[in-house]
Amino acid sequence: MKPINLFINEMKDLFKCKNVYFMNGSENETKELLDIAQRSVFDDKVILKKLNHNEYPNSYYHRSNINDVARTEHLTYVCTKNIEQAGPNNNWMEPNEAKKKMLKLFSNSMNNRTMYVIPFTMGMYESEYAKDCIQITDSVYVALSMKIMTRVGNKTIDRIGDSSNFFRGIHSVGTLNPSERYIMHFPEENLVMSFGSGYGGNALLGKKSYALRIGSYLGYKEGWLAEHMFIIGVESPNGKITYFLGAFPSACGKTNVAMLKFVFKGYKVWTLGDDIAWLNVGKDGNLYAINPETGFFGVAPGINYKTNQIIMETLKNNKFLPTLFTNTAIDNDNNVPWWEGLSDKIPLNLTDWKGEKYFKDSNKTAAHPNSRFTVSIYNCPTLSKEYYNPKGVPISGIIFGGRRKDTIPLVFETNDWNNGVFMASTVGSEITAASSGDIGNVRRDPMAMLPFCGYNMGDYFQHWLNIGNKIKNKPKIFIVNWFRKDENGKHMWPGFGDNSRIIKWMIDRIDGNVDVKKSEIGLLPNILDLNLDGLEIGKNILEKLFSIDRQSWIKEISMIEEFYSKFGNKIPKELQANLLKLKNKIQN
Ligand code: GTP
Ligand code: SPV
Ligand code: MN
């Protein structure tokens, strides 16, 4: 028997499902799944509710369990044979112990349910970087979401053929009991087991579990990088397109930059990806990036026609697959989704994300802060034609950032690749609602990969340095912080569309049109080189946005030292040397 069929039979025996739904990727299948989801009740709720299709074509609403609204990092494990390989950045469990635990939870857990078999490919079928996968799930919401987010269909089955070389993702929502929730990764076996959650990165196993955690491990072994990054091309008035990658931690602005609208005439952003990039060094010595996904799973709150017109158009321009809204509020008068920031006026007849009537004066938000839309990338009006290029696009700039109310300037350029890797390895960010944890606390989140690096981060940093040695035309590396606040706790930079002013400066740097000011931490822009036409921003605010406060940096360095010390001698010497240099400069 073919390995695929062996695997599916094994799953049937394990889960004792009522029936099997083998997905083929057809349009008809989408209709069938939508029908099933609108007819079925799970967790006391109808799984999908049709929204007003005049306002939001082909859109549906889903409410998840109130205990299941974000990734649960403390229940996410990397199970390698030895603990050092997983590193202090991961929870670790011995693989046999982890499997025993999971098999017990999985056993009979689909008794009265349908088991969906989802064959999917990450990346263009034509791409030599594409990877074939099979996910098992008992959630029709997950099955539909996977269809939006990845290439689902028979083609994957044909590609796998008689081979046993495919990713196995095994998922069951179980009873949604948080005390029985685990997401276990077995990088050495190309396998993930997930139980007890139906939400986002916990359940759509092609995304964080495969494309990042397993992907980063494969990249380490095979000589490439799997990154938590958007990919964009920026067209300048002269027609040249400059490609950027950007890594910000969860809920720190990637999707918004991916669909950014420039405030200057003649410039245009072409979208390639908003969350995941697979990077390879080409034969020509350039760094190339592909987006292995086919959809956006984006944060709803904050989005409106002013902050991001292109995202709104993507949500309204529904031509292809359905769009799902999860844990937003519902405006009952119009049967449309609503979230904080969508309109100034709060609709009168609002049901909140928990399903309760929402009162305007309550301290709670109507939409969950991590409420999201799942939408096909093909609906995006700014989708780049290079999205379809199996080789990917050649990168000229890499942007790293975090959410910091202080310390980190609006933008600076790093001195060179290795110094850029060092700076990226030190990025800190306030924890957001995208993961359950101490929201607001600053933690180190190197390359925005802390929750997603499937192996020891010390080895990961060395891998970044090694990749750099292979790149002939090294991209410039920039650090940004859209989130610096004043004494009153107000963001000093308007952000969103105005971030294009900063990206324009980066293009000017890449093209060699403007100079920089050297500072202790890196290369700062000359304020006069930033085009701030039409923006009302005081000179003193601008100065504050770029100020380097010695005391804050002394604290910052001690936090970096504390983080590095967890990795012992795994931290590359090159990065230790950079840290020492920075410390000397700050102290002198
Ligand atoms: P993940 O999907 O979790 O990986 O998040 P992301 O990095 O794609 O973040 P996203 O673009 O969805 O933005 C997250 C939140 O930050 C949303 O509530 C946005 O409205 C808000 N946001 C995005 N860009 C900016 C900005 O430039 N300034 C400010 N103040 N807020 C922003
Ligand atoms: C993130 O948290 O970085 C996300 C959402 O993109 S999830 O798919 O849940 O990981
Ligand atoms: Mn993300």
Side-chain angles (χ1 to χ4, degrees):
M1 206 188 275
K2 285 185 188 185
I4 278 198
N5 297 332
L6 273 174
F7 172 56
I8 293 163
N9 284 347
E10 214 184 296
M11 292 298 106
K12 280 199 247 177
D13 284 349
L14 172 65
F15 287 117
K16 300 282 187 316
C17 55
K18 192 168 73 184
N19 42 41
V20 178
Y21 191 115
F22 211 116
M23 284 172 69
N24 61 22
S26 69
E27 252 178 72
N28 201 37
E29 172 186 88
T30 307
K31 287 202 193 100
E32 231 172 71
L33 295 176
L34 282 171
D35 261 8
I36 295 171
Q38 290 175 90
R39 278 191 278 109
S40 319
V41 171
F42 176 65
D43 195 30
D44 302 329
K45 295 180 284 288
V46 174
I47 296 173
L48 283 187
K49 201 177 144 244
K50 191 172 170 179
L51 291 165
N52 179 342
H53 282 191
N54 294 325
E55 292 233 15
Y56 287 87
N58 210 1
S59 294
Y60 297 83
Y61 181 68
H62 175 75
R63 195 174 275 140
S64 68
N65 186 284
I66 58 169
N67 294 312
D68 188 30
V69 293
R71 284 180 294 100
T72 40
E73 292 175 13
H74 61 295
L75 303 172
T76 302
Y77 288 76
V78 168
C79 310
T80 42
K81 282 197 202 84
N82 77 51
I83 185 167
E84 201 195 27
Q85 194 169 349
N89 47 300
N90 283 303
N91 301 313
W92 178 83
M93 202 181 288
E94 196 279 321
N96 289 320
E97 188 193 334
K99 271 187 211 154
K100 226 167 94 191
K101 203 179 191 56
M102 296 309 280
L103 292 179
K104 204 168 147 205
L105 293 168
F106 282 153
S107 174
N108 294 344
S109 78
M110 296 187 192
N111 236 324
N112 265 316
R113 294 183 192 162
T114 300
M115 176 174 108
Y116 296 89
V117 179
I118 316 172
F120 66 100
T121 295
M122 299 303 289
M124 298 285 297
Y125 295 120
E126 298 75 20
S127 174
E128 60 177 299
Y129 310 129
K131 302 272 188 195
D132 300 309
C133 313
I134 307 278
Q135 174 162 347
I136 303 294
T137 184
D138 50 5
S139 158
V140 66
Y141 166 78
V142 168
L144 269 167
S145 302
M146 287 297 288
K147 210 165 170 175
I148 301 167
M149 296 303 296
T150 71
R151 294 173 177 83
V152 171
N154 290 336
K155 245 190 181 150
T156 303
I157 300 291
D158 296 343
R159 287 164 57 92
I160 294 174
D162 293 336
S163 161
S164 58
N165 181 18
F166 58 91
F167 164 68
R168 293 160 169 82
I170 309 173
H171 171 251
S172 168
V173 287
T175 58
L176 297 176
N177 181 349
S179 70
E180 290 187 334
R181 184 174 297 158
Y182 292 99
I183 304 104
M184 302 279 198
H185 299 73
F186 305 87
E188 289 148 332
E189 298 169 60
N190 208 5
L191 167 73
V192 173
M193 296 178 166
S194 165
F195 189 82
S197 166
Y199 192 82
N202 289 339
L204 315 178
L205 299 183
K207 201 173 182 51
K208 295 314 193 325
S209 284
Y210 182 70
L212 291 182
R213 297 197 189 95
I214 302 287
S216 61
Y217 172 87
L218 293 176
Y220 181 56
K221 296 277 151 179
E222 298 168 1
W224 53 280
L225 287 164
E227 295 297 328
H228 190 200
M229 290 174 164
F230 65 75
I231 314 171
I232 56 170
V234 186
E235 186 169 337
S236 303
N238 63 11
K240 190 186 131 208
I241 300 183
T242 309
Y243 291 97
F244 286 92
L245 295 170
F248 311 149
S250 302
C252 292
K254 290 182 300 301
T255 303
N256 274 276
V257 175
M259 284 174 268
L260 182 72
K261 199 169 171 192
F262 258 65
V263 295
F264 307 122
K265 274 218 175 87
Y267 286 85
K268 184 179 165 79
V269 169
W270 294 104
T271 307
L272 290 107
D274 79 321
D275 200 48
I276 291 169
W278 284 354
L279 316 182
N280 280 276
V281 184
K283 288 193 187 75
D284 58 3
N286 286 312
L287 180 67
Y288 284 89
I290 64 159
N291 170 13
E293 299 191 290
T294 59
F296 307 123
F297 182 56
V299 176
I303 305 298
N304 60 51
Y305 278 101
K306 267 191 237 133
T307 54
N308 202 312
Q309 187 186 332
I310 309 290
I311 296 182
M312 288 306 296
E313 283 174 9
T314 303
L315 295 175
K316 299 261 183 173
N317 169 41
N318 209 320
K319 291 192 293 237
F320 300 96
L321 285 151
T323 297
L324 312 181
F325 289 89
T326 302
N327 296 339
T328 61
I330 290 278
D331 171 358
N332 295 303
D333 288 338
N334 299 308
N335 191 27
V336 290
W338 191 85
W339 49 82
E340 275 67 24
L342 180 59
S343 54
D344 291 334
K345 261 190 49 208
I346 301 177
L348 289 173
N349 188 3
L350 206 55
T351 300
D352 74 7
W353 67 275
K354 291 183 174 169
E356 289 160 9
K357 178 149 180 66
Y358 184 74
F359 295 101
K360 209 172 163 179
D361 59 343
S362 63
N363 296 321
K364 294 174 256 171
T365 56
H368 188 277
N370 194 37
S371 56
R372 292 190 180 242
F373 51 80
T374 316
V375 64
S376 166
I377 199 167
Y378 305 112
N379 292 330
C380 173
T382 55
L383 183 65
S384 163
K385 62 181 194 304
E386 291 298 309
Y387 169 77
Y388 301 96
N389 187 337
K391 213 171 105 181
V393 290
I395 301 300
S396 303
I398 308 182
I399 307 168
F400 290 100
R403 182 182 285 266
R404 293 296 296 275
K405 62 179 186 313
D406 50 36
T407 316
I408 311 298
L410 179 59
V411 61
F412 65 97
E413 181 184 325
T414 60
N415 300 324
D416 53 32
W417 180 272
N418 284 1
N419 177 245
V421 171
F422 162 68
M423 277 297 174
S425 82
T426 70
V427 166
S429 194
E430 292 153 23
I431 296 175
T432 64
S435 77
S436 54
D438 302 328
I439 293 170
N441 274 5
V442 174
R443 69 167 178 188
R444 295 300 112 188
D445 192 349
M447 285 85 170
M449 279 289 279
L450 181 74
F452 309 121
C453 181
Y455 62 103
N456 192 310
M457 254 191 154
D459 293 329
Y460 169 77
F461 296 150
Q462 185 61 53
H463 189 43
W464 261 89
L465 296 171
N466 294 349
I467 291 277
N469 287 334
K470 289 201 287 182
I471 307 173
K472 243 192 328 204
N473 309 311
K474 292 188 183 39
K476 276 187 183 297
I477 297 180
F478 301 93
I479 306 290
V480 301
N481 176 22
W482 312 144
F483 300 95
R484 205 155 168 173
K485 288 182 176 170
D486 63 17
E487 312 79 61
N488 305 317
K490 201 176 154 269
H491 285 133
M492 292 193 284
W493 178 249
F496 296 99
D498 288 302
N499 295 335
S500 61
R501 299 172 188 277
I502 306 304
I503 294 179
K504 180 188 175 294
W505 175 77
M506 292 173 184
I507 296 172
D508 287 337
R509 283 295 297 155
I510 289 164
D511 292 345
N513 294 338
V514 295
D515 215 341
V516 280
K517 271 191 313 210
K518 277 199 176 154
S519 82
E520 299 90 324
I521 62 168
L523 312 172
L524 291 170
N526 292 307
I527 300 290
L528 290 177
D529 290 331
L530 294 177
N531 188 332
L532 302 174
D533 291 354
L535 186 67
E536 277 177 36
I537 188 163
K539 194 163 169 273
N540 60 328
I541 297 216
L542 266 179
E543 272 166 17
K544 268 193 217 155
L545 277 166
F546 285 100
S547 67
I548 296 169
D549 176 61
R550 208 165 285 271
Q551 285 315 313
S552 307
W553 272 92
I554 288 173
K555 256 201 252 160
E556 189 75 4
I557 287 167
S558 78
M559 287 191 277
I560 297 167
E561 285 173 332
E562 191 199 326
F563 180 74
Y564 270 18
S565 72
K566 292 189 197 158
F567 295 84
N569 58 14
K570 281 276 187 195
I571 297 290
K573 287 199 181 66
E574 175 71 28
L575 300 194
Q576 296 284 14
N578 266 274
L579 177 57
L580 198 63
K581 231 195 255 167
L582 174 67
K583 195 174 176 175
N584 287 337
K585 280 193 202 153
I586 291 291
Q587 285 175 346
N588 287 327

